[in-house]
Amino acid sequence: MDKETEAKVQLWRDNVKEADLLEELEALVAAGDEEKLNDAFYRDLAFGTAGLRGVLGVGTNRMNVYVVAQATQGLADYLNAHYDNPTLALARDSRLKGEDFQRVAAGVLAANGIHVYLYPRIEPVPTLSFAVRYLKTSAGIVLTASHNPAAYNGYKVYNDNGGQITDEAANEISANIAGVDTFGGVKMMDFDEGLEKGLIEWTPEEVLDSFIEHVKKVSIPGFKADPSYSVVYTPLNGTGMECVSRILKEVGVENVSVVPEQSEPDGNFPTCKYPNPEFREALQLALDLAEEVKPSLVVATDPDADRMGTAIPHAGEYKLLSGNEMGVLLMNWLAEMAAEKGEDVARKVAVTTIVSSSMPDALAADLGFELRRVLTGFKYIGDQIDQLKDAGEEDRYLMGFEESYGYLIGTHARDKDAIVAVEMCVEMAAHYAAQGKDLYEAMEDLYQKYGYYLNGTVNAAYPGAAGAERMAQIMDGLRKQPPTEIAGYKVVGMTDYATGPEMPRTSGLQKEAAQVLPPANVIEFRLEGDNKVIFRPSGTEPKVKAYLFSKGATRAESEAVRDKLQAASEAILK
């Protein structure tokens, strides 16, 4: 342990008041566990456009009340510099320490003269985005680590339009945070004092009611599921239960079975180590219940209810649809519904990310709507909605999705929304069920029409200080010595998104000037045969992802290509 880290450890030993944190710190010191101490203190937990996310515990590189207070002071300084009488909306999910972090953040904001609205219960991320817009606050915070394991929590900051903050704002807030003394530079007001003074206020129930009404408006006019249509739902011990139950009832879906072991909020996530609806293991209890009640559809929302996963009963088993497949299905169906209503589909704008499936390009070319591709992060999809709204053309927005199971239909929020996703998925599934078809079969129809566009990912983890250096080496090497072939497929094109290239767009009216993407540490290699690999360091975890894109005339052909791309990418990321 170097002297700087040793000094940090001693500073915390001298100043920490919370019994659990002090006990953890003293145990590490007594055990002489330099590796763990170094990992906890070697850096400050990085603040970026996704805010903070990290493992709970003691140290500057951990999520705890001191790190949250310091970050909130930096945010408060930013808000007071940019707004007269700033206000803020605050929410949390079911994560451990969430209530403690919420009270600390609210106390710091109140001490800085910032009026804070707090949801009185845990609520989904999209309801925070909606609250910022409804209450017209200057910013928002949601305390969540999304679908990470129970050991994590996080702190996401939203701008005054309900979207995640820009790089410019994040950089300014980060600089403010760096200038705040953890133990002497934070202004603090007792939470109860803040309530008494009116600086902290519980968010009125009308805000959540209005959110549900706005989600309901997205429903296809005249939708009515057959009374026999049934759903198994799990909120994975997170925030989705209240809003999902309400919206399904609003659209007339009454036959809903909830997984009892996962219905109540529990930040320990006792029934699944990784509460991520992308994975079958997280859905296992829902699948077990489905075997008993035989539903038409299985849906799951992650702990902060901004992502949705599904399982489809098909030919005696349950098929899981990927985030890309669900996004493609929704995009195709919504375009068809727009055409049925007599709308000009060529006016419609759908948005996805550069790392999401290539299949939407084929849909856009065939059906005529405009497809825009933005950087990873739903704030960029939200920004496209803002641009349409500013032009007086908000009605052009069809939907947006990202491959990591995030969807937004409607313009009520500026972040992904699993509540509206569940609503529209159920309506879409009921629509196809009336035709004697399930969603798996509907997806197969699209594959057969456009080709089997399949996807995969390779996740290479690089923990600690050495890991961060290795991640930088990998990306630097790909730039300076780019491969001429990957898995035997010739590289026919390369885009380094660090240069801020023009935004990819397909079909539609495209009447606006071309947009330029913000610089990003992402490298794309286009390969012969409409195949592709994209390398991108994670913004929230110490890992580099390789996104794999394969295309074939059959599933087997595309899977074979994808397997080759996976092996080659794993070798690159060693």
Side-chain angles (χ1 to χ4, degrees):
M1 187 164 52
D2 60 38
K3 289 185 177 180
E4 183 179 352
T5 303
E6 190 174 342
K8 284 184 181 179
V9 171
Q10 189 57 51
L11 179 66
W12 280 59
R13 292 181 75 187
D14 293 340
N15 287 278
V16 166
K17 306 300 183 185
E18 280 65 28
D20 59 336
L21 295 179
L22 187 57
E23 182 180 346
E24 178 188 350
L25 180 54
E26 294 297 351
L28 290 173
V29 172
D33 197 333
E34 291 196 8
E35 183 178 349
K36 287 186 178 179
L37 282 168
N38 186 63
D39 190 52
F41 286 95
Y42 85 93
R43 66 168 188 170
D44 291 344
L45 194 62
F47 184 95
T49 56
L52 301 168
R53 188 179 298 182
V55 174
L56 293 163
V58 68
T60 58
N61 190 35
R62 296 285 185 266
M63 283 295 296
N64 53 64
V65 290
Y66 297 103
V67 168
V68 167
Q70 182 187 31
T72 307
Q73 183 63 56
L75 173 61
D77 292 340
Y78 170 85
L79 292 175
N80 278 321
H82 289 271
Y83 297 88
D84 294 325
N85 303 312
T87 58
L88 183 139
L90 180 56
R92 66 181 177 92
D93 68 6
S94 60
R95 292 270 162 187
L96 300 175
K97 297 291 184 179
E99 188 170 5
D100 292 345
F101 294 169
Q102 185 181 53
R103 292 173 70 90
V104 166
V108 172
L109 292 163
N112 283 273
I114 297 170
H115 190 102
V116 188
Y117 296 91
L118 277 77
Y119 271 116
R121 304 177 295 280
I122 63 169
E123 296 295 354
V125 160
T127 69
L128 184 281
S129 177
F130 181 83
V132 169
R133 298 173 58 75
Y134 185 92
L135 297 168
K136 296 181 172 57
T137 63
S138 312
I141 298 171
V142 62
L143 297 159
T144 176
S146 188
H147 53 283
N148 282 91
Y152 285 77
N153 207 332
Y155 178 108
K156 294 170 69 173
V157 179
Y158 289 76
N159 62 25
D160 56 10
N161 208 26
Q164 289 187 48
I165 54 173
T166 64
D167 293 340
E168 183 179 0
N171 289 338
E172 186 173 342
I173 295 168
S174 182
N176 287 349
I177 294 169
V180 174
D181 185 321
T182 307
F183 297 108
V186 177
K187 298 177 184 177
M188 177 62 72
M189 180 181 292
D190 179 76
F191 182 83
D192 292 332
E193 181 185 350
L195 284 172
E196 290 174 8
K197 290 185 173 180
L199 285 164
I200 300 174
E201 177 182 347
W202 297 114
T203 300
E205 286 296 321
E206 69 182 68
V207 178
L208 192 65
D209 291 342
S210 184
F211 169 79
I212 294 296
E213 283 300 311
H214 277 77
V215 173
K216 184 182 176 182
K217 288 177 184 177
V218 180
S219 175
I220 298 300
F223 169 76
K224 185 173 178 60
D226 187 280
S228 66
Y229 196 84
S230 60
V231 175
V232 162
Y233 168 62
T234 175
L236 295 177
N237 296 118
T239 60
M241 185 70 187
E242 180 182 10
C243 290
V244 168
S245 298
R246 287 183 65 175
I247 197 60
L248 289 179
K249 187 175 182 179
E250 287 283 349
V251 298
V253 179
E254 301 279 356
N255 195 348
V256 180
S257 300
V258 179
V259 176
E261 301 93 331
Q262 298 174 331
S263 63
E264 296 297 322
D266 189 339
N268 291 297
F269 307 115
T271 60
C272 56
K273 293 181 179 179
Y274 197 39
N276 186 341
E278 300 180 35
F279 301 129
R280 181 174 287 269
E281 300 93 306
L283 301 185
Q284 192 55 55
L285 288 178
L287 296 175
D288 291 344
L289 179 59
E291 289 291 348
E292 296 177 25
V293 302
K294 307 299 181 186
S296 309
L297 180 69
V298 176
V299 292
T301 54
D302 69 342
D304 58 347
D306 64 352
R307 301 171 194 255
M308 176 194 72
T310 55
I312 315 302
H314 173 79
E317 60 179 321
Y318 287 89
K319 300 280 192 179
L320 270 62
L321 294 177
S322 71
N324 278 315
E325 288 174 328
M326 180 56 66
V328 166
L329 277 169
L330 285 168
M331 193 176 288
N332 177 75
W333 178 64
L334 289 167
E336 289 181 349
M337 292 299 99
E340 282 191 13
K341 288 188 289 184
E343 299 179 15
D344 182 3
V345 177
R347 286 190 71 251
K348 294 295 182 181
V349 175
V351 190
T352 190
T353 70
I354 59 174
V355 299
S356 298
S357 170
S358 299
M359 198 169 183
D361 295 276
L363 265 65
D366 182 36
L367 301 177
F369 61 84
E370 180 180 343
L371 179 74
R372 301 180 182 179
R373 287 191 179 272
V374 295
L375 296 180
T376 306
F378 226 88
K379 66 179 179 180
Y380 296 113
I381 294 176
D383 179 62
Q384 294 301 311
I385 301 175
D386 288 336
Q387 291 185 34
L388 292 171
K389 182 180 179 181
D390 291 345
E393 299 180 333
E394 196 171 351
D395 64 311
R396 292 182 64 196
Y397 177 70
L398 182 69
M399 64 94 68
F401 87 92
E402 59 184 10
E403 100 307 330
S404 55
Y405 292 64
Y407 319 93
L408 178 60
I409 302 102
T411 60
H412 56 283
R414 292 295 184 271
D415 207 344
K416 47 192 176 289
D417 180 359
I419 313 306
V420 77
V422 168
E423 174 192 31
M424 299 312 290
C425 176
V426 168
E427 293 193 16
M428 177 174 65
H431 168 86
Y432 283 118
Q435 301 175 13
K437 188 184 301 183
D438 61 46
L439 291 183
Y440 181 81
E441 291 165 337
M443 189 67 222
E444 280 295 310
D445 288 347
L446 293 179
Y447 278 138
Q448 291 178 24
K449 181 176 182 180
Y450 296 110
Y452 282 81
Y453 290 85
L454 301 185
N455 297 86
T457 56
V458 173
N459 291 284
Y462 306 92
E469 184 178 345
R470 176 61 185 143
M471 289 168 63
Q473 288 174 348
I474 289 171
M475 299 304 293
D476 190 50
L478 288 170
R479 287 190 170 91
K480 291 181 176 177
Q481 294 182 307
T484 56
E485 59 86 23
I486 297 176
Y489 298 97
K490 183 180 177 182
V491 174
V492 296
M494 172 185 170
T495 299
D496 183 353
Y497 287 91
T499 63
E502 186 175 306
M503 183 182 75
R505 299 166 76 178
T506 305
S507 299
L509 300 178
Q510 295 197 32
K511 60 181 184 178
E512 303 89 355
Q515 298 182 46
V516 174
L517 297 178
N521 189 15
V522 181
I523 305 173
E524 173 184 302
F525 296 101
R526 293 178 296 282
L527 312 175
E528 57 187 331
D530 287 334
N531 303 303
K532 184 166 59 177
V533 179
I534 294 177
F535 295 93
R536 170 182 170 267
S538 170
T540 56
E541 299 171 272
K543 63 185 180 182
V544 176
K545 284 187 177 182
Y547 298 85
L548 316 176
F549 303 76
S550 63
K551 183 188 176 186
T554 66
R555 181 179 292 275
E557 181 182 320
S558 189
E559 286 177 344
V561 175
R562 186 180 62 189
D563 290 346
K564 292 179 182 178
L565 297 178
Q566 178 173 332
S569 298
E570 288 173 349
I572 290 172
L573 296 178
K574 277 186 178 178

